[in-house]
Amino acid sequence: MSILLNNISKNFGKFAALYDVSLEIPEGELVALLGPSGCGKTTLLRIIAGLETPDFGRVLLSGEDKTEQHVSRRGIGFVFQHYALFRHMTVFDNIAFGLRVKPRKERPTEAFISKKVHALLELVQLDWLADRFPDQLSGGQRQRIALARALAVEPSVLLLDEPFGALDASVRKDLRQWLRNLHQELHVTSIFVTHDQEEAMEVASQVVVLNQGRIEQQGAPAEIYDHPANAFVSKFIGQTNIFDLSETESNWLQRAGILAEKPQGIFAHVRPHHIEIVKAEEASGSPVTLKDWQHLGATIRVELFNPQHNGSGATLFAEMPNERFKQLNLNKGDRVAVHIKQAHWFN
Amino acid sequence: MHANVHVISDATGQAHFKALHDPFWVRWSLVGVAVGFIVLFLCVPLGLVLYQAFSKGWQAYWTALAQPDAIAAMQLTLVVALITVPLNTVFGIAAAWAITRFEFWGKSLLTTLIDLPFSVSPVISGLIFVLMFGAQGWFGHWFSAHDLKIIFAVPGIVLATLFITFPFVARELIPLMQEMGSEEEEAALSLGASGWQTFFKVTLPNIKWALLYGVLLCNARAMGEFGAVSVVSGHIRGVTNTLPLHVEVSYNDYDVIGAFSSASILASLAIVTLVLKSFLEWKQART
């Protein structure tokens, strides 16, 4: 089911949670609503579900205006941040709930319900937990049961609020991959909310970046990373070094290779892997001092200090493959030179 | 856990133990004061009630309870409880639901007003109803013109009891429902459940022990209320005397056996209430 949001606005008292948000999500996508906390992403998800009513704007599902429709009639599956499993019911009863509350005419037989619940439990790989109660499950198990419960009513849209927010780092990594695979299997239009840009980039096919109640950019992960629409997106997605032209000596930037022509803005945003380090003696680049480095597995993050810079941005971060770092054979305090391969300019 | 504590006290010796505990005599004198107080002010009076009730033997006890006035008082007490407890259960659930699930203007005022019967003297509560519905009251003329008796009749007793007991259920439910939040209910709605289905299948099972606890306290108060009921009842024997009023009337008539045998019924109600209350508290702690 495709989702179309037209000019959605929502205020809580004097706080504007969403301001004139329009968004189109084609059928079958796995979309991440990404933004810092308080940016309105959960509110937007709840408006799509019908758990919140917008002050202005329309919600269209499959082209039909559903703005006024009650949440129970929208055919959405909602997975809550803290799972919201029914604590007095077993896992089986939790998953069967959506089928058992159907009006008598549409309600399937208990035999059918049982078959379906077990099929869903197999889908989430937890068939052996059918008789347990929610408080006997781990966080990751609860999350998957909540997902199975939402899927039981065969929703045309699946909405997930911070689905991995309350989980351990290792469980989170597994579940991300699992959710992606599940989506490829079921192909139901899905939207999940997250404040973790890594998670959004890893799981989603489309990322919508929100900030202060507005959409900053929408696109495929690669597009958002490689072509950030503005300074906020550039800063929020991945790590960025920011050069302020008014604070950095232009000579330094020229030698680094990004101020060849007229500057296209006031701020240059540079990804760490776009900074190349060369030894000082073979230098045509800009001089810096090597302060420290950190192992990130396959890559090394190098912390550099720019002595000609006055201001807070004097520390730069560069990233390079492990092998390259070994070749350079650097020590703390070494003078090196940097080449900047690519920058995004913003005002 | 236990093993850990053991290791710590082994390693640091007696000093550690003493540092965490008050001296022997402080502990035991505090326990002594508490127990003595309870014995003096609760157990002795309760024992005396039973002693007096049976002072002339079983026969006299049963005869006193079998008097028509005593039976009428018990019946009236039951009728009043049967009307007020269900009404206040419904009201309490509705109020708790409104306060914990919706935002509306005047919400904090409503929350405060629910406690009003706790903070007003019961006699004053009774007087309010006399002022409203009594012969000289605001609506008195209209009611007497339509031949409806409120004050010095059963409706007045029911109204006064309703007023006195309405905080009990709401007070129990509000903190629990606030703590639970509405996510489970929202989940039920998103799965296609109607409002009633959500209430009966999700909300009610989660609040049932607290609800029963509130109903129990509400019932105990409805059957035991004296002050407000005394003002509106008019003490008409066999007609508007509830059990607590019957105790007072009998005692004033120097009918000691009559007064204390009825009092023993109220006292055993209190004991049953206490036992059920501890059971419900235990149940609630487990869920």
Side-chain angles (χ1 to χ4, degrees):
Chain A
M1 184 151 71
S2 66
I3 298 167
L4 187 64
L5 302 176
N6 279 334
N7 312 95
I8 301 277
S9 292
K10 175 78 182 173
N11 297 296
F12 293 110
K14 280 186 183 152
F15 174 70
L18 291 170
Y19 184 80
D20 199 25
V21 169
S22 294
L23 179 63
E24 193 181 346
I25 293 169
E27 175 153 7
E29 293 278 347
L30 176 53
V31 179
L33 294 180
L34 173 67
S37 48
C39 71
K41 53 195 192 299
T42 295
T43 307
L44 190 61
L45 195 75
R46 290 173 62 87
I47 284 176
I48 298 172
L51 292 167
E52 214 78 72
T53 349
D55 297 340
F56 298 102
R58 314 305 296 172
V59 178
L60 280 77
L61 304 180
S62 292
E64 268 177 70
D65 191 334
K66 304 255 181 174
T67 318
E68 315 290 337
Q69 199 174 37
H70 191 254
V71 49
S72 60
R73 300 269 159 274
R74 286 200 191 185
I76 50 99
F78 201 100
V79 178
F80 291 81
Q81 188 179 359
H82 301 290
Y83 324 125
L85 294 175
F86 307 128
R87 60 193 98 180
H88 61 286
M89 291 183 201
T90 60
V91 163
F92 183 96
D93 292 337
N94 261 283
I95 299 175
F97 185 88
L99 299 170
R100 285 179 178 156
V101 296
K102 278 180 187 287
R104 190 148 306 191
K105 278 184 210 157
E106 300 163 33
R107 198 182 306 161
T109 62
E110 272 300 312
F112 178 88
I113 290 175
S114 171
K115 225 171 100 183
K116 175 122 193 181
V117 170
H118 283 292
L120 282 162
L121 278 167
E122 258 159 49
L123 181 73
V124 298
Q125 298 150 10
L126 293 174
D127 203 22
W128 45 288
L129 289 178
D131 298 324
R132 301 275 186 92
F133 283 90
D135 61 359
Q136 297 168 311
L137 307 181
S138 72
Q141 290 168 342
R142 283 182 211 183
Q143 181 60 272
R144 284 188 279 168
I145 297 301
L147 195 60
R149 182 179 68 176
L151 289 173
V153 290
E154 292 177 5
S156 39
V157 181
L158 191 58
L159 306 171
L160 306 104
D161 187 7
E162 297 265 359
F164 315 113
L167 299 171
D168 295 343
S170 64
V171 181
R172 203 181 307 171
K173 269 219 137 49
D174 289 346
L175 268 184
R176 278 184 201 168
Q177 194 59 45
W178 178 81
L179 180 68
R180 216 190 142 83
N181 293 341
L182 187 76
H183 178 258
Q184 274 163 7
E185 206 173 309
L186 301 175
H187 241 77
V188 53
T189 312
S190 307
I191 306 178
F192 72 99
V193 156
T194 179
H195 61 264
D196 181 343
Q197 50 94 11
E198 225 176 276
E199 189 171 289
M201 305 298 267
E202 189 181 324
V203 180
S205 60
Q206 286 270 312
V207 176
V208 178
V209 185
L210 279 143
N211 183 36
Q212 295 182 339
R214 292 161 205 260
I215 292 181
E216 300 280 0
Q217 193 175 1
Q218 179 186 7
E223 194 188 326
I224 287 194
Y225 188 84
D226 294 336
H227 307 287
N230 53 44
F232 173 81
V233 176
S234 165
K235 269 187 278 186
F236 195 71
I237 308 283
Q239 217 181 359
T240 302
N241 296 292
I242 299 169
F243 298 95
D244 184 342
L245 270 195
S246 62
E247 281 182 9
T248 315
E249 224 181 85
S250 54
N251 185 29
W252 190 93
L253 286 174
Q254 251 164 20
R255 286 185 65 186
I258 49 165
L259 206 63
E261 302 135 40
K262 219 171 73 171
Q264 297 150 280
I266 303 165
F267 299 100
H269 288 213
V270 178
R271 300 285 188 206
H273 61 252
H274 286 145
I275 297 184
E276 195 183 21
I277 297 182
V278 284
K279 287 220 162 190
E281 46 269 27
E282 50 200 83
S284 59
S286 297
V288 289
T289 313
L290 187 122
K291 231 165 95 184
D292 202 357
W293 62 83
Q294 292 111 36
H295 265 272
L296 305 177
T299 57
I300 303 286
R301 180 163 61 207
V302 185
E303 218 177 315
L304 303 165
F305 180 71
N306 178 2
Q308 287 177 32
H309 187 284
N310 38 5
S312 56
T315 301
L316 310 179
F317 289 98
E319 276 177 24
M320 65 181 83
N322 219 331
E323 294 78 18
R324 166 81 183 137
F325 185 72
K326 278 182 190 144
Q327 273 173 18
L328 283 170
N329 189 25
L330 294 167
N331 293 305
K332 278 184 202 176
D334 278 3
R335 301 270 296 165
V336 292
V338 293
H339 256 299
I340 296 175
K341 289 182 281 188
Q342 198 190 330
H344 293 111
W345 289 91
F346 300 106
N347 284 313
Chain B
M1 195 64 191
H2 199 86
N4 263 340
V5 171
H6 208 77
V7 169
I8 288 166
S9 65
D10 272 353
T12 54
Q14 198 64 19
H16 173 79
F17 184 74
K18 272 187 180 161
L20 280 180
H21 293 275
D22 293 316
F24 180 81
W25 64 271
V26 172
R27 273 182 283 152
W28 284 105
S29 50
L30 278 175
V31 171
V33 166
V35 170
F37 208 82
I38 287 169
V39 167
L40 193 63
F41 288 97
L42 291 176
C43 299
V44 171
L46 194 63
L48 269 178
V49 166
L50 292 175
Y51 174 77
Q52 290 285 356
F54 291 108
S55 59
K56 296 210 172 117
W58 279 96
Q59 195 59 45
Y61 179 79
W62 284 119
T63 319
L65 283 185
Q67 281 173 36
D69 285 358
I71 289 175
M74 281 183 245
Q75 281 171 340
L76 180 59
T77 300
L78 280 178
V79 166
V80 169
L82 279 175
I83 297 172
T84 54
V85 172
L87 281 177
N88 273 336
T89 303
V90 172
F91 167 80
I93 293 172
W97 190 280
I99 284 167
T100 57
R101 297 293 180 259
F102 305 126
E103 288 302 322
F104 54 90
W105 189 87
K107 178 165 146 172
S108 54
L109 185 69
L110 178 64
T111 316
T112 315
L113 280 180
I114 286 176
D115 281 341
L116 186 70
F118 280 168
S119 48
V120 174
S121 159
V123 177
I124 308 297
S125 320
L127 272 177
I128 293 166
F129 286 100
V130 173
L131 282 176
M132 278 168 63
F133 302 115
Q136 311 301 320
W138 291 350
F139 308 109
H141 293 295
W142 190 85
F143 279 110
S144 55
H146 290 79
D147 209 19
L148 290 168
K149 261 191 90 64
I150 307 273
I151 299 304
F152 305 146
V154 176
I157 297 173
V158 170
L159 282 177
T161 311
L162 264 179
F163 178 83
I164 292 293
T165 57
F166 88 51
F168 287 97
V169 173
R171 273 282 121 202
E172 280 306 314
L173 293 185
I174 288 169
L176 177 71
M177 287 174 72
Q178 252 159 1
E179 185 211 335
M180 282 191 340
S182 50
E183 269 203 349
E184 282 184 47
E185 284 145 16
E186 286 179 347
L189 291 176
S190 78
L191 289 166
S194 67
W196 287 114
Q197 281 174 322
T198 303
F199 176 73
F200 283 109
K201 286 174 190 272
V202 175
T203 311
L204 199 57
N206 278 335
I207 62 169
K208 65 181 170 200
W209 296 117
L211 180 64
L212 276 176
Y213 187 93
V215 167
L216 182 77
L217 294 184
C218 179
N219 180 62
R221 187 62 190 268
M223 290 188 165
E225 173 57 21
F226 179 82
V229 169
S230 169
V231 175
V232 295
S233 113
H235 298 84
I236 306 165
R237 280 165 206 249
V239 182
T240 62
N241 266 354
T242 59
L243 208 47
L245 299 183
H246 179 73
V247 172
E248 193 211 15
V249 168
S250 309
Y251 190 76
N252 288 346
D253 289 349
Y254 304 105
D255 176 6
V256 174
I257 305 293
F260 282 102
S261 57
S262 298
S264 74
I265 301 286
L266 285 171
S268 38
L269 173 76
I271 290 166
V272 169
T273 303
L274 277 180
V275 170
L276 285 175
K277 180 171 163 286
S278 345
F279 171 73
L280 289 177
E281 273 168 354
W282 174 76
K283 266 290 190 193
Q284 228 178 318
R286 274 166 32 109
T287 49

